[in-house]
Amino acid sequence: MLSKPARWWRAAAAVAAGGLPCLAFPAPALWWFAYVTLVPWMLLLRSAPTGRRAALEGWLGGAGFILAVHHWLLPSLHVFLVPLAALLGLLWIPWALLVRELLGGDGAGGRAGAALALVPAAWLLSELARSWQGLGGPWGLLGASQWQVPPVLRLASVGGVWLVSLLVAAVNCAVVLLIVAPAARVPAVAGLTGCAVLTGVVWLWVPRPEVSGGLRVAVVQPGLVADGPDSADRRFAAGERLTRGLAGQHPDLVVWGESSVGADLTARPDLARRLAALSAEVGAPLLVNVDARRPPAETGTVGGAGRTAAAGGTGGSGGSGDPGIYKSAVLVGPQGPTGARYDKMRLVPFGEYIPARALLGWATSVGKAAGEDRVPGDSPVVMDLPGRPDVRLGPLVCFESAFPDMSRHLAREGAGLLIAQSATSSFQHSWAPAQHASLAALRAAESGRPMVHATLTGISAVYGPSGERLGSALPTSASTTALYEVPLARGTTLYVRFGDWPVGAALAVLAVYCAAAGVRSFRAGTPAPEPTAPRARTARG
């Protein structure tokens, strides 16, 4: 039985240990720390005197993880971030119970081997659950901390970020076994060796993307613009001025950031004419991002230059046709908008819509939550690039770059270049811009397609088809343009072909364990059959 001071000490230690993994992500980006970052938390959980205590410390550690990785949301959500972290922290309870169950002993028998398979699988289960858009999306997945490690990025091309998370969690589990279970040193070393061999085999034998041609892509980053009634017009003018400086540099495509155009181009034909003139001047189409209320007559319309990825046919809009505010990637050529348009499908909870607004609408009074829900699009879009019939574009908007399935879908539908248009100016002096830019490296490695991450205020970055950074990133202090030579690639990765198979494998392993535990519990609870007495014989005289 723990004393009251011990209970409080362990609770505080759980919150702190759960927050440690944040150091492996940008901006600190201590990628190597990810391989031991779970060890303190797991050591605490394995020593929990009861399952109830382990569940509590798993919940507190999960809340600490969410608070640490998403601390930059405090200016927007304020105190609301605390109950949100408490809610999401519940997702780590199954993992915590498995840590206590499988790592709490001496590691003898098959417990160590089971732990090396089941504990990482349970960690992945928590990541999968919180990757649902309504719970905030897949931000801060453990595997995402390895965005700058080439051999691990190659693993992502095989099984996505999910396979990387499994590997990192397995290494943490093996380290715990080495520390606390001398009897488990052989399986622990075998587990570490297996992780190293898997990484080496993938690095040596999995084919690299086959480079075929290239594209000159310019990124326009206007920088910070002071808030005010005319801030959208001033931002547009800054992007216009910077883009004009690209004349004579012969880009194939110019990319602006999210919300770079603050008015619908149908309602403001003057802006459409200015963009068309810019396109003619620099000799390349512009991919801009319109954040505006769409006139009712325009909702649901499509043009002829894009192709919806869902249908593979002609069409430019992923919009639902409902009236309201949309965030849309719009391609503009010398003749004006080409008709290719993608409406953002996965909106940021609280930032772009309030989940269950009737119940949680009060969040707008304590933070910078959305005063009005934006309207989501209803299908991905792959756009044809004018002048380059060999290239098709796969646009994403803002935190959609955190979702592996979206970029995978675009790659399967023929996108040769992935583009994420983003704006993180609300979190300019936090770790958010660096964290967001790093996600593009993973999406590029998973899909075998280069990816452009273009922002209004930095960090803007471009990655090659293996996830390698191309050129220099544009920092948050920059108001500038940059031209990148982007290699294109043919073929497909194993992840694009087979999808989230590590998730299926992890769920299968957990299902087998739960079934076996259920059978053991049933057998333990079934009374042994009564012995059958021999039949009595009747004496006859």
Side-chain angles (χ1 to χ4, degrees), residues 71-335:
H71 70 274
W72 42 268
L73 286 172
L74 278 169
S76 295
L77 295 183
H78 294 294
V79 70
F80 195 77
L81 182 60
V82 176
L84 182 62
L87 172 65
L88 294 178
L90 296 171
L91 299 175
W92 275 270
I93 289 179
W95 175 75
L97 293 174
L98 265 180
V99 169
R100 179 181 180 273
E101 174 69 21
L102 297 175
L103 297 177
D106 59 3
R111 291 168 62 86
L116 288 169
L118 290 165
V119 171
W123 178 272
L124 195 66
L125 181 64
S126 69
E127 292 199 335
L128 179 66
R130 70 185 179 89
S131 293
W132 178 49
Q133 178 197 345
L135 292 179
W139 195 286
L141 302 183
L142 193 59
S145 65
Q146 306 302 294
W147 64 277
Q148 55 186 323
V149 185
V152 184
L153 285 175
R154 190 66 52 77
L155 279 176
S157 74
V158 174
V161 67
W162 312 111
L163 181 59
V164 182
S165 284
L166 280 175
L167 179 136
V168 175
V171 171
N172 276 270
C173 186
V175 171
V176 170
L177 287 171
L178 287 174
I179 293 173
V180 302
R185 285 176 181 168
V186 170
V189 171
L192 291 173
T193 304
C195 290
V197 169
L198 172 64
T199 305
V201 168
V202 169
W203 175 256
L204 291 174
W205 295 103
V206 170
R208 291 166 170 78
E210 182 182 352
V211 174
S212 175
L215 199 68
R216 293 170 60 84
V217 180
V219 173
V220 176
Q221 182 177 296
L224 281 173
V225 173
D227 290 335
D230 63 340
S231 58
D233 290 336
R234 287 186 285 114
R235 184 180 300 112
F236 185 96
E240 188 178 35
R241 172 179 53 81
L242 290 169
T243 302
R244 191 168 286 116
L246 293 168
Q249 299 186 45
H250 308 293
D252 296 303
L253 175 67
V254 178
V255 183
W256 288 18
E258 179 187 13
S259 304
S260 48
V261 179
D264 185 82
L265 296 180
T266 301
R268 290 284 305 274
D270 59 314
L271 296 183
R273 287 193 295 270
R274 288 164 65 180
L275 289 171
L278 268 181
S279 175
E281 187 173 349
V282 301
L286 315 178
L287 186 68
V288 301
N289 190 275
V290 177
D291 183 359
R293 189 176 304 279
R294 190 172 299 166
E298 188 191 352
T299 56
T301 61
V302 297
R307 297 182 186 172
T308 59
T314 301
S317 174
S320 64
D322 298 327
I325 302 174
Y326 290 78
K327 284 192 174 180
S328 306
V330 178
L331 195 61
V332 181
Q335 307 304 317

